[in-house]
Amino acid sequence: MNMSDIISCFSENAVNVSHSSCSSYSNNACISPSLIPSTQNSVSSVYKTILSNQNQLLITVTWCKSHSNQGLTISFGDEDPATFRLNTNSRFFRKKKGNKLLELSDESKVEVFWDLSNAKYDTGPEPVDGFYVAVLVDAEIVLILGDMAEEALTKKLKSRTLLAKVSLLSRREHCSGNTLYTTKAQFCDTGNWHDILIRCSGENEGFKYPVLSVCIDKKTVIRVKRLQWNFRGNQTIFVDGLLVDLLWDVHNWFFNNPVSSGYAVFMFRTRSGLDSRLWLEEKSAMKDKDRVEFSLLIYACKST
């Protein structure tokens, strides 16, 4: 299921606007001490960079984790074959720090620096502390990740001072487990980080009469009853002064073919203002190439 498939299920006439601070729901509606949040299997972030020559480059960073594998993949553009890969959980993997040179299809020179030797992880595949990953294109820094990057790059890149403009366009998370999902998101470059919690449960726990609740910073922003009939929908909320469209599709949780994956999809996407329409088709995003909008997609597999 791609983004256009998700959006095609919704109507712009179904939009409601609410403010999290004005929510009439209980702030404890999403809190469940008996449930353990689902586990992230992979996290992919897409960054848009603008180089000093005004060329634009999309960089996709993917952290993944399974029973037998844990690693990092960095790809460039949509079709460029140049890809950087690390398997940090292999017995053959020994180099948790270093650098590697790549060449893109337009002959741009890419250099990746990394140090994961002291990286600390929570339950997901993405390190949270003690690491850095840096990407340079033609000796220009285009992406810096991690808390150790500044000190390391000062030592390694003394003569390289150019720093490209970078924005986070989207983040995609794949989760599996029960019907409780937690993550963090920053909806604009200057905004705060927010705790997001998505929970599906019955009115009195259980899954017989399912209710979908979405909380941001412990405040319930939507609550959908009769979810087996309202398995697709959308609502608009305010976060950091921005309009954010929240869309959900949990059809496969209730009408799943045993052969298929059984994933539900949740999407948060920012838009520009009160009078802007719901983002319904990909071509609408191409009208203003300079406008930066952020999307968070959560693919949730209910395995318990």
Side-chain angles (χ1 to χ4, degrees), residues 223-272:
R223 184 171 169 85
V224 183
K225 296 185 178 181
R226 301 182 181 88
L227 191 60
Q228 65 270 47
W229 293 287
N230 299 308
F231 49 80
R232 293 189 183 107
N234 62 278
Q235 188 164 333
T236 306
I237 59 177
F238 284 99
V239 182
D240 293 337
L242 297 171
L243 279 173
V244 178
D245 291 315
L246 168 55
L247 305 96
W248 66 90
D249 183 348
V250 298
H251 175 274
N252 285 347
W253 277 359
F254 301 102
F255 310 101
N256 178 34
N257 185 317
V259 179
S260 65
S261 63
Y263 273 96
V265 183
F266 304 93
M267 183 172 75
F268 298 78
R269 192 177 195 278
T270 61
R271 53 178 164 135
S272 56

Side-chain angles (χ1 to χ4, degrees), residues 140-158:
E140 184 172 351
I141 302 173
V142 297
L143 185 63
I144 299 174
L145 302 175
D147 60 311
M148 296 174 57
E150 184 175 351
E151 179 181 353
L153 293 180
T154 300
K155 296 177 181 178
K156 294 178 180 296
L157 310 173
K158 292 180 180 179

Side-chain angles (χ1 to χ4, degrees), residues 179-181 196-200 212-215 266 268 298:
T179 56
L180 178 66
Y181 308 93
I196 296 176
L197 187 149
I198 300 171
R199 180 192 180 198
C200 183
L212 174 67
S213 300
V214 179
C215 301
F266 304 93
F268 298 78
I298 300 174

Side-chain angles (χ1 to χ4, degrees), residues 36-208:
I36 299 174
S38 293
T39 302
Q40 287 182 344
N41 302 316
S42 69
V43 177
S44 294
S45 298
V46 179
Y47 298 88
K48 175 184 176 181
T49 64
I50 302 177
L51 305 175
S52 57
N53 59 9
Q54 299 307 306
N55 287 342
Q56 297 184 9
L57 178 66
L58 294 180
I59 301 176
T60 302
V61 179
T62 301
W63 303 89
C64 62
K65 182 180 181 181
S66 65
H67 295 296
S68 59
N69 179 53
Q70 182 169 354
L72 165 66
T73 301
I74 303 176
S75 57
F76 304 88
D78 295 325
E79 300 178 354
D80 201 296
T83 303
F84 171 80
R85 288 187 175 89
L86 283 179
N87 184 354
T88 60
N89 198 33
S90 169
R91 60 178 179 173
F92 302 108
F93 180 78
R94 295 290 182 270
K95 200 174 182 181
K96 290 193 174 183
K97 63 184 298 184
N99 66 293
K100 185 174 181 179
L101 293 172
L102 301 169
E103 184 171 329
L104 303 184
S105 56
D106 64 357
E107 299 185 351
S108 297
K109 301 296 188 296
V110 174
E111 191 169 9
V112 181
F113 293 86
W114 74 93
D115 186 349
L116 303 175
S117 56
N118 296 310
K120 298 179 179 61
Y121 299 83
D122 284 335
T123 57
E126 193 175 21
V128 296
D129 199 3
F131 79 103
Y132 78 86
V133 176
V135 180
L136 284 73
V137 176
D138 293 333
E140 184 172 351
I141 302 173
V142 297
L143 185 63
I144 299 174
L145 302 175
D147 60 311
M148 296 174 57
E150 184 175 351
E151 179 181 353
L153 293 180
T154 300
K155 296 177 181 178
K156 294 178 180 296
L157 310 173
K158 292 180 180 179
S159 62
R160 297 163 177 167
T161 57
L162 290 178
L163 184 62
K165 296 178 181 179
V166 59
S167 298
L168 178 60
L169 291 185
S170 68
R171 179 178 171 91
R172 184 173 67 248
E173 302 181 6
H174 286 256
C175 307
S176 62
N178 54 45
T179 56
L180 178 66
Y181 308 93
T182 61
T183 188
K184 291 180 178 289
Q186 184 184 32
F187 292 98
C188 63
D189 292 339
T190 58
N192 298 320
W193 284 92
H194 297 278
D195 294 313
I196 296 176
L197 187 149
I198 300 171
R199 180 192 180 198
C200 183
S201 65
E203 289 282 9
N204 298 307
E205 302 301 327
F207 208 67
K208 186 175 181 181

